[in-house]
Amino acid sequence: MLRLTSFIHIFRRSMSSSTVNAGLYRNAPVQNVKAVHDFRSDTVTKPTAEMLNVMMTADVGDDVFDEDPTINALQDRIADMAGHEAALFCPTATMTNQIAVRTHLTAPPYTVLCDHRAHIFNYEAAGISFHCGAGLVPVQPAPGQTHLTASVIEKHLVLDDDVHHAPTRVVCLENTLHGMIVPLENIKEITALAHKHDLKTHLDGARIWNACVATGISLKEYCSHFDSISMCFSKGLGAPVGSVLVGSKPFIKKAKHFRKMYGGGWRQAGILAAAGLYALDHHLPLLTTDHQNAQYLAQTLLDLNLGFSLLHPVETNMVWLNAPVPADILAEVLAKEGIRVFGGSGTEMRLVFHHQITREAVDKFVRVLKQFFEK
């Protein structure tokens, strides 16, 4: 218990410090102002005192030996919620995505289909190609369409045995995407097409919780159409670390093998799983407020006629804006008032809401911009 208490003490100290990661996005301006309100991402949340207390008192064991009771409890709970046989707790959603695709792929050559905006294509350091030796085929929606459809996917499937080709083996979807919810009907049609051709399906459900809350569609319904699903706890749910992969028992057994190979075989990580369990009980119900605050900010800015326009519909916890001036300028203005946003030389801005962004923070955000444009 002494060693665990020391860890939590160090963890508390690290969470209370404010550091600026200038390298996270190349165009983000460096600020020396301590942030009070952080709109950069829902990954920036800090554990609450209640969550830290749950972590401190968690029952732990060696997870490589399947002996951490808190991790086992989280895995069992998520598998049940998702309607799948088993689950595997990992450090990150990138790892659960990478492990899932690697586990599905057997004998090369092969390719993986995904949306051209997908995280696995743009933000996982070409991991699919590196870890799996697989080609990644990014697909664009049909003209005038926001999301992928089965008819578009079908045109990109490689199903023959021509020696010049690398057959399609996995179809990956992502829900939500840019804060927008992929319609369940699209999911049903695409996964049905894939399964018709004996292809595996994977869902990057980093923010699937937001989709469930916004639509009222259960996690089990969404997950029933996929062979594997990755669900993140360190985004909207506000846990410090963790993602869970679900699938069949044989799939998860093999996935655990790859998790170990990738260096993800952790030991007494129940302190982190405890945060995930706490988040399910206490932070998941707060997502509705995040969505409401996002819609409130978007509508308020539009009503003020300051020159902002929406790049995407506000369906969950993200607001994508086209600003009247470069984002770098607004990032500097907001930072002086303790508000963090990503900058950039362009005018595109992404604002992400989480349980530590209050309505008062939104009002302050709007007030600062209104004062700036009225000068």
Side-chain angles (χ1 to χ4, degrees), residues 7 16 48 80 85 89 100 104 107 121 170 180 196 216 229 236 285 305 314 319 335 342 349 351 371:
F7 173 88
S16 65
T48 62
D80 181 65
E85 291 182 332
F89 185 46
H104 284 312
F121 177 61
V170 181
M180 297 178 292
K196 172 186 174 182
I229 305 94
N305 294 316
V314 181
V319 177
F342 280 126
M349 297 183 70
L351 309 173
Q371 291 171 349

Side-chain angles (χ1 to χ4, degrees), residues 108-149:
Y110 32 52
T111 53
V112 177
L113 261 63
C114 68
D115 192 293
H116 74 110
R117 300 159 292 184
H119 195 276
I120 64 168
F121 177 61
N122 293 289
Y123 302 112
E124 296 188 9
I128 300 298
S129 298
F130 181 84
H131 293 299
C132 307
L136 203 55
V137 180
V139 181
Q140 294 194 27
Q145 297 288 320
T146 302
H147 301 289
L148 293 178
T149 56

Side-chain angles (χ1 to χ4, degrees), residues 254-303:
K254 188 62 178 176
K256 188 173 183 181
H257 197 164
F258 284 118
R259 185 186 70 168
K260 180 65 174 175
M261 182 189 298
Y262 291 171
W266 44 14
R267 302 297 176 172
Q268 292 76 19
I271 51 176
L272 300 173
L277 288 167
Y278 180 89
L280 287 174
D281 291 331
H282 300 278
H283 293 172
L284 180 56
L286 303 178
L287 293 183
T288 298
T289 301
D290 297 342
H291 298 175
Q292 292 170 347
N293 284 339
Q295 292 162 1
Y296 171 72
L297 182 142
Q299 192 59 53
T300 303
L301 284 180
L302 294 179
D303 290 344

Side-chain angles (χ1 to χ4, degrees), residues 80-289:
D80 181 65
M81 290 175 66
H84 281 253
E85 291 182 332
L88 184 66
F89 185 46
C90 296
T92 69
T94 293
M95 179 176 280
T96 46
N97 283 334
Q98 294 293 320
I99 288 173
V101 175
R102 183 63 188 88
T103 304
H104 284 312
L105 295 174
T106 53
Y110 32 52
T111 53
V112 177
L113 261 63
C114 68
D115 192 293
H116 74 110
R117 300 159 292 184
H119 195 276
I120 64 168
F121 177 61
N122 293 289
Y123 302 112
E124 296 188 9
I128 300 298
S129 298
F130 181 84
H131 293 299
C132 307
L136 203 55
V137 180
V139 181
Q140 294 194 27
Q145 297 288 320
T146 302
H147 301 289
L148 293 178
T149 56
S151 60
V152 170
I153 291 287
E154 190 167 27
K155 294 176 182 178
H156 291 81
L157 295 179
V158 177
L159 303 172
D160 60 55
D161 57 1
D162 189 307
V163 295
H164 300 87
H165 300 160
T168 306
R169 290 288 180 255
V170 181
V171 175
C172 291
L173 298 181
E174 184 173 332
N175 201 5
T176 64
L177 189 60
H178 288 181
M180 297 178 292
I181 301 164
V182 179
L184 183 60
E185 194 59 35
N186 292 44
I187 290 173
K188 288 180 177 180
E189 292 178 356
I190 292 171
T191 54
L193 172 68
H195 293 147
K196 172 186 174 182
H197 295 293
D198 295 322
L199 308 179
K200 298 299 183 181
T201 57
H202 174 68
L203 175 66
D204 177 357
R207 295 181 176 89
I208 188 65
W209 313 105
N210 296 89
C212 291
V213 168
T215 62
I217 297 171
S218 70
L219 181 67
K220 186 171 293 186
E221 172 63 26
Y222 273 126
C223 293
S224 67
H225 305 286
F226 295 91
D227 297 297
S228 61
I229 305 94
S230 165
M231 288 170 274
C232 188
F233 283 80
S234 63
K235 295 186 176 69
L237 294 188
V241 172
S243 181
V244 176
L245 177 66
V246 301
S248 68
K249 287 182 178 179
F251 173 85
I252 292 299
K253 181 178 180 180
K254 188 62 178 176
K256 188 173 183 181
H257 197 164
F258 284 118
R259 185 186 70 168
K260 180 65 174 175
M261 182 189 298
Y262 291 171
W266 44 14
R267 302 297 176 172
Q268 292 76 19
I271 51 176
L272 300 173
L277 288 167
Y278 180 89
L280 287 174
D281 291 331
H282 300 278
H283 293 172
L284 180 56
L286 303 178
L287 293 183
T288 298
T289 301

Side-chain angles (χ1 to χ4, degrees), residues 60-75:
V60 299
D62 193 317
D63 184 52
V64 173
F65 300 150
D66 296 323
E67 294 176 355
D68 191 300
T70 309
I71 289 179
N72 292 340
L74 177 63
Q75 291 173 164

